[in-house]
Amino acid sequence: MEHPRRRLALTLAGVAALVVVSALLYMAGMARLEGRPRGFWDSLEWAAETLTTTGYGADAHWTHPAMVLFVVGVQFAGVFLVFLIVPLFLIPFLESRFEVRLPKEMSEALVGHVVIYRYGPAVETLLAELAAARVPTLLLESDDGAARRLFEAGQRVLHRPLDDAALRAADLRSSRALIANGSDDANAALILAARQSGFTGPILALVEEPFHRRPMMLAGASAVFTPRHILGAALAARASARIDPRLASAQQLGRQLAVAEVQIEPQSRLAGRTLAEAAIGATTGATVIGQWLGGELHALPEPEARLQAESVLVVAGSPQSVERVGELARAAAPARRGPFVVGGYGEVGRKVVELLLAVGEEVRVIDRRAAPGVDLVGNVIDPGILEAAGAAEAQAVILALDTDSATLFATVILKDAVPAVPVIARVNQAENVDRIHRAGAYFALSISQVSGQMLARKLLGEEAVAVDPHLMVLRVPAAELRGATRRRARSALSGAEVRRRTGCSVIAVERGEEVLIDLPAEVRFGPDDVLYVCGSAAAVRRFPEALG
């Protein structure tokens, strides 16, 4: 704030000097050129009236050409000052005076916190995961706008450029981990600075280019991830049955349990039925643990809950049982045998194309810029481009566009132009996944979900899947339940009792090599069992002590 104050003070001093100098020159001009001497105060009044453009008093007419030119010059100077001082000096001063200053030092002592360098979609889900696990976070953000948005949202943030002082201000030595989420070169500089400062904890880096993985490791990173490529692989696997595993959208828990989202197509045999009528558990062996409706997640739906067309089911089960749910949710229609159309040829799009070509699929690429590998240059929503790409006969259109708004708009256009063709979409922010599903996308996955799950598992050392802040599936060894395990070994555990006492449901029990998913109303478990618990993030983390 000192800089705007100093600038404003210098501006005011300069204006005062200009008024005085104009008054003195006016005194001299009136005496020598006009023959009508004026005193200093009269001249000062004239200078102030002229420079502020408020008008004149007694003096409003001059005869000498030099005097007329002098008066005209002062008049233009006054107009110029009005338009210069207010927007360039006064308004910035008032903004800096009244807006909240961004913190550059921590206001509280933190121990065991996670330091995250630069905010972005890749760490959005991670922040929610760490908050649910009650792990404090601190963001180092050099961009003023991003830092202010984070600060106003209640995040701990330090507004600093990347240097040694920023690492000291973040108290890096007391932290449990450092996440590098900037550009690849900035990440490398951060990692080197952190190691040179004596930090020995884990450093996890997110990189844009796969060939930068090794240099990051050499710089001192503990683990390096390429979330865009993992996202591309997930989209490609969802599109083509030739890519193994087929359930790329599923998130694996333990050895045999997966959690996945499945959209109900309008002509599916599930659409319009209640959960009890659909008998998904008996038919597939999977358990429905949630349903997305109108952008809202209905966790642990009751048997009377109706399955809506275009809604998205959250199911848990073995990979095979979840795949069977996907088959039920799809409309009965002959298999399409056309090409795959890929819109967007950035990092994600290139990975999708690479994997599809590797398994022998026909691919046609649309991008706004000509490049090796691009078949059609133009906009993916252009009807002529879509016709040339053979979109009407395509097995699927895969959108790998840069922005979520472009993806949303393209999804709407595609579902109108080629309604029978599935749309598979790459998303940046997790909050937009449901919007794009509602726009008609068959499947959508965000980079935030992909990187957030990877980083959370690495940091928290637990096996959990967060579907939403309101729904999480956690793998809990029964041995962690201590006293509750011994008591329950002698009596049956009622599912209703567990839900009443903990707010969670036990959806599966892992017993040796066997995973029991279709659980009876009452079940016994021993200290060697592993429970899969479903509920809100807060409830599942409190599950052991709540049951005990």
Side-chain angles (χ1 to χ4, degrees):
M1 189 181 296
E2 292 303 318
H3 177 63
R5 282 182 176 175
R6 184 170 59 252
R7 186 170 61 179
L8 182 64
L10 291 173
T11 302
L12 294 176
V15 170
L18 179 61
V19 172
V20 172
V21 170
S22 299
L24 294 175
L25 290 175
Y26 185 73
M27 284 178 62
M30 289 298 289
R32 297 183 182 181
L33 301 178
E34 294 290 332
R36 294 181 291 163
R38 294 289 186 266
F40 173 75
W41 296 112
D42 292 333
S43 301
L44 186 66
E45 180 183 9
W46 172 88
E49 290 171 342
T50 304
L51 289 171
T52 58
T53 70
T54 56
Y56 300 112
D59 292 340
H61 180 70
W62 300 269
T63 57
H64 196 283
M67 195 65 188
V68 171
L69 292 175
F70 168 71
V71 171
V72 170
V74 175
Q75 288 171 341
F76 275 101
V79 174
F80 177 74
L81 284 176
V82 169
F83 288 100
L84 175 70
I85 294 175
V86 173
L88 297 185
F89 297 98
L90 186 58
I91 292 178
F93 169 75
L94 294 175
E95 288 178 346
S96 65
R97 179 67 180 85
F98 291 107
E99 71 180 2
V100 178
R101 283 182 289 177
L102 292 172
K104 297 187 180 298
E105 303 290 339
M106 287 199 300
S107 58
E108 57 181 320
L110 296 176
V111 177
H113 57 294
V114 175
V115 178
I116 301 175
Y117 171 65
R118 298 306 301 268
Y119 177 78
V123 297
E124 180 185 11
T125 298
L126 173 65
L127 288 170
E129 292 269 351
L130 294 177
R134 300 178 185 176
V135 175
T137 56
L138 178 67
L139 284 146
L140 283 177
E141 182 57 65
S142 56
D143 181 74
D144 183 83
R148 189 163 300 281
R149 287 191 296 271
L150 291 167
F151 183 73
E152 291 172 352
Q155 295 284 354
R156 293 186 189 88
V157 61
L158 295 183
H159 180 221
R160 279 181 169 273
L162 179 59
D163 53 22
D164 293 340
L167 298 180
R168 288 193 298 271
D171 197 8
L172 186 61
R173 293 195 178 191
S174 299
S175 68
R176 66 188 294 170
L178 172 64
I179 309 293
N181 185 43
S183 61
D184 288 357
D185 53 346
N187 286 346
L190 173 70
I191 294 167
L192 287 169
R195 292 306 187 200
Q196 290 170 1
S197 70
F199 179 65
T200 58
I203 300 178
L204 310 181
L206 300 174
V207 300
E208 298 171 359
E209 300 290 347
F211 56 84
H212 288 161
R213 290 171 58 92
R214 179 169 173 76
M216 292 289 180
M217 297 296 290
L218 293 174
S222 307
V224 182
F225 303 98
T226 54
R228 284 186 175 84
H229 281 221
I230 297 171
L231 176 60
L235 296 176
R238 188 65 183 184
S240 173
R242 299 181 186 180
I243 297 177
D244 192 35
R246 179 72 180 92
L247 273 171
S249 63
Q251 302 178 59
Q252 199 76 18
L253 263 178
R255 294 189 296 270
Q256 302 180 56
L257 191 76
V259 178
E261 294 183 346
V262 177
Q263 186 176 32
I264 301 176
E265 296 185 5
Q267 303 304 318
S268 163
R269 67 188 75 175
L270 298 180
R273 288 182 157 189
T274 66
L275 196 55
E277 292 169 347
I280 292 176
T283 307
T284 66
T287 302
V288 176
I289 61 176
Q291 181 179 201
W292 287 99
L293 285 171
E296 181 181 356
L297 178 65
H298 297 259
L300 303 174
E302 299 293 338
E304 297 77 23
R306 195 161 296 279
L307 305 179
Q308 304 287 346
E310 304 289 353
S311 68
V312 177
L313 295 181
V314 185
V315 295
S318 66
Q320 296 78 16
S321 66
V322 174
E323 179 60 33
R324 286 194 287 271
V325 177
E327 293 171 358
L328 285 178
R330 288 191 285 272
R336 306 180 67 86
R337 303 194 179 280
F340 286 97
V341 176
V342 178
Y345 202 54
E347 286 296 322
V348 176
R350 283 197 292 271
K351 190 64 178 179
V352 170
V353 172
E354 175 189 335
L355 290 173
L356 291 175
L357 291 176
V359 296
E361 298 283 14
E362 182 185 358
V363 182
R364 294 175 187 170
V365 180
I366 302 172
D367 196 77
R368 288 181 175 275
R369 292 180 294 272
V374 174
D375 300 300
L376 296 163
V377 178
N379 196 330
V380 72
I381 63 175
D382 185 338
I385 293 289
L386 290 174
E387 184 179 357
E393 297 79 33
Q395 295 188 51
V397 175
I398 304 169
L399 297 176
L401 306 177
D402 291 334
T403 65
D404 289 353
S405 58
T407 301
L408 180 65
F409 187 53
T411 302
V412 173
I413 296 295
L414 285 165
K415 295 311 292 181
D416 179 65
V418 284
V421 178
V423 175
I424 297 173
R426 165 255 176 104
V427 186
N428 287 322
Q429 296 179 325
E431 63 185 19
N432 292 327
V433 169
D434 185 60
R435 294 190 183 99
I436 292 170
H437 267 142
R438 283 186 288 164
Y442 167 66
F443 175 72
L445 185 64
S446 75
I447 193 170
S448 177
Q449 292 170 308
V450 170
S451 58
Q453 290 292 336
M454 290 188 304
L455 295 172
R457 290 193 185 191
K458 192 75 175 177
L459 289 172
L460 300 177
E462 65 181 14
E463 293 193 69
V465 168
V467 179
D468 181 81
H470 304 294
L471 184 64
M472 175 178 278
V473 180
L474 183 68
R475 186 175 184 268
V476 182
E480 292 185 6
L481 303 181
R482 299 184 294 278
T485 303
R486 291 193 295 273
R487 288 197 301 276
R488 297 301 168 189
R490 296 192 297 271
S491 62
L493 178 68
S494 164
E497 181 185 358
V498 170
R499 193 161 181 174
R500 177 181 59 81
R501 295 179 60 180
T502 67
C504 304
S505 291
V506 178
I507 60 172
V509 175
E510 184 179 304
R511 187 168 289 161
E513 295 298 320
E514 184 182 12
V515 176
L516 307 176
I517 296 176
D518 190 11
L519 300 175
E522 294 186 341
V523 62
R524 300 176 186 272
F525 62 90
D528 295 329
D529 290 345
V530 175
L531 310 183
Y532 292 92
V533 181
C534 178
S536 70
V540 297
R541 296 187 190 281
R542 291 196 306 265
F543 177 80
E545 62 182 84
L547 189 62

